[in-house]
Amino acid sequence: MFNKLKRWKPQNSSSSLRDRIESVKKAGVPSHIAIIMDGNGRWAKKRAMPRVAGHHEGMKVVRKITRLANELGIGALTLYAFSTENWKRPKMEVDYLMQLPEEFLGSFLPELIEENVRVEMMGYQENLPVHTLRAINKASEETKNNTGLVLNFALNYGSRAEILDAVRHVLKDCQSGIMDANSLNEEAFSSYLMSSKLADPDLLIRTSGEIRLSNFMLWQLAYTEFWFTDVLWPDFNEEHLLNAVETFQNRQRRFGGIQGS
Ligand code: IPE
Ligand code: IPE
Ligand code: MG
């Protein structure tokens, strides 16, 4: 038991990092964190390396951050890994990105299983290569009964397409009498989205200095707290995640009300 916990503690964790983790946990963590993991290409370019080297380094960060999120007791971590617009990139880069789930899960899945993490995917499955989908489906299947952190990969995900599909689905259900248009409220509409099993994110993080959503969870982020950093995703570490969560803990969420009401 001790070994197991030790292995999952953030690597190279100094005692000050450990203290911070404990105090962040005490102050109450967000239930759902969503991250737009951006800046892999620029990270590689700065080092005169091919863009894919940045993606590979970024994958290592996913491990680190998943471990910490799990340790903090966060309910769900949604990671934007590939957008519906990312198909515009050179084939070589897209092919590389599409093999990353196999590589990542090939080595990380046993730990995820052991640590009670549930792997899920949110996105359009039909256009994904068979080998990519196979790796994701295997991980989802083997972790489906886990009750800890939900590690939700947004892969071939696009929010506008998701919303349009939900609208089409609602219309169909209205026509067939399953749904009554007058009873369609926000909660019911949310149930038609790909994120239907998850609560809306409490905290959104975007790395690399870009201040935009890039078609990510447009509906779900309506009242989410945003945290942006110039740090490129491959340089993102435990300290940065703790900074984001601590900032979140000091925000006042009013949801349109007034403080203290
Ligand atoms: C994010 O890094 C990863 C994906 C979008 C797949 P980028 O590849 O967008 O890196 P930059 O933004 O070009 O630096
Ligand atoms: C958003 O990043 C998508 C992912 C992180 C997977 P992009 O790099 O594709 O976004 P833009 O093109 O800069 O808006
Ligand atoms: Mg980018």
Side-chain angles (χ1 to χ4, degrees):
M1 182 66 179
F2 177 70
N3 279 342
K4 188 173 142 187
L5 285 174
K6 198 171 157 204
R7 185 160 61 76
W8 260 67
K9 285 190 175 148
Q11 280 145 15
N12 311 321
S13 66
S14 61
S15 60
S16 68
L17 184 60
R18 294 244 38 92
D19 290 348
R20 261 187 96 190
I21 291 171
E22 289 314 313
S23 67
V24 162
K25 276 163 87 169
K26 276 200 203 100
V29 294
S31 310
H32 183 180
I33 298 181
I35 308 184
I36 303 177
M37 309 181 289
D38 199 12
N40 295 351
R42 277 164 283 169
W43 182 92
K45 199 174 167 207
K46 266 171 60 181
R47 288 162 181 75
M49 289 156 94
R51 290 178 57 83
V52 294
H55 296 315
H56 195 261
E57 202 60 27
M59 182 185 70
K60 295 188 200 160
V61 177
V62 171
R63 278 174 179 244
K64 244 194 304 203
I65 295 308
T66 301
R67 286 193 178 110
L68 178 55
N70 196 41
E71 190 185 351
L72 287 173
I74 284 156
L77 179 67
T78 295
L79 301 177
Y80 203 7
F82 192 89
S83 75
T84 44
E85 288 74 40
N86 287 147
W87 296 104
K88 292 176 191 164
R89 297 186 179 202
K91 183 175 183 310
M92 184 265 195
E93 183 173 343
V94 170
D95 288 349
Y96 188 86
L97 287 166
M98 289 298 154
Q99 66 78 39
L100 275 184
E102 285 161 281
E103 191 181 337
F104 173 81
L105 293 164
S107 58
F108 200 37
L109 185 57
E111 260 182 77
L112 295 172
I113 294 171
E114 195 184 328
E115 295 305 325
N116 202 23
V117 174
R118 194 166 88 229
V119 177
E120 293 200 352
M121 181 201 142
M122 173 174 92
Y124 290 94
Q125 300 203 355
E126 52 274 17
N127 311 322
L128 293 176
V130 177
H131 58 100
T132 313
L133 204 51
R134 201 189 300 125
I136 301 267
N137 286 342
K138 180 175 183 283
S140 309
E141 182 57 32
E142 292 184 18
T143 60
K144 70 177 181 208
N145 296 322
N146 286 355
T147 54
L149 174 76
V150 175
L151 178 59
N152 181 37
F153 287 100
L155 191 62
N156 196 19
Y157 173 83
S159 184
R160 285 191 167 186
E162 174 194 38
I163 291 170
L164 278 181
D165 282 339
V167 170
R168 276 187 209 103
H169 198 162
V170 168
L171 289 173
K172 228 172 83 193
D173 283 355
C174 286
Q175 272 160 9
S176 62
I178 297 172
M179 160 67 76
D180 165 21
N182 294 318
S183 62
L184 181 68
N185 55 23
E186 292 180 10
E187 197 189 339
F189 188 73
S190 295
S191 73
Y192 284 86
L193 297 173
M194 292 173 179
S195 57
S196 60
K197 285 187 270 173
L198 297 172
D200 291 340
D202 302 292
L203 172 63
L204 171 81
I205 296 172
R206 182 169 189 154
T207 58
S208 89
E210 309 299 354
I211 314 292
R212 56 176 170 263
L213 291 179
S214 302
N215 204 13
F216 188 54
M217 302 187 92
L218 304 178
W219 169 277
Q220 297 89 337
L221 296 174
Y223 266 107
T224 301
E225 296 296 324
F226 289 7
W227 190 84
F228 296 100
T229 176
D230 288 340
V231 172
L232 303 173
W233 178 250
D235 291 326
F236 193 82
N237 62 26
E238 287 96 348
E239 307 268 356
H240 299 122
L241 182 63
L242 293 172
N243 291 346
V245 174
E246 282 170 352
T247 305
F248 171 86
Q249 289 170 335
N250 289 314
R251 298 256 181 101
Q252 274 173 17
R253 302 183 79 187
R254 289 187 289 275
F255 301 98
I258 52 173
Q259 191 193 348
S261 67

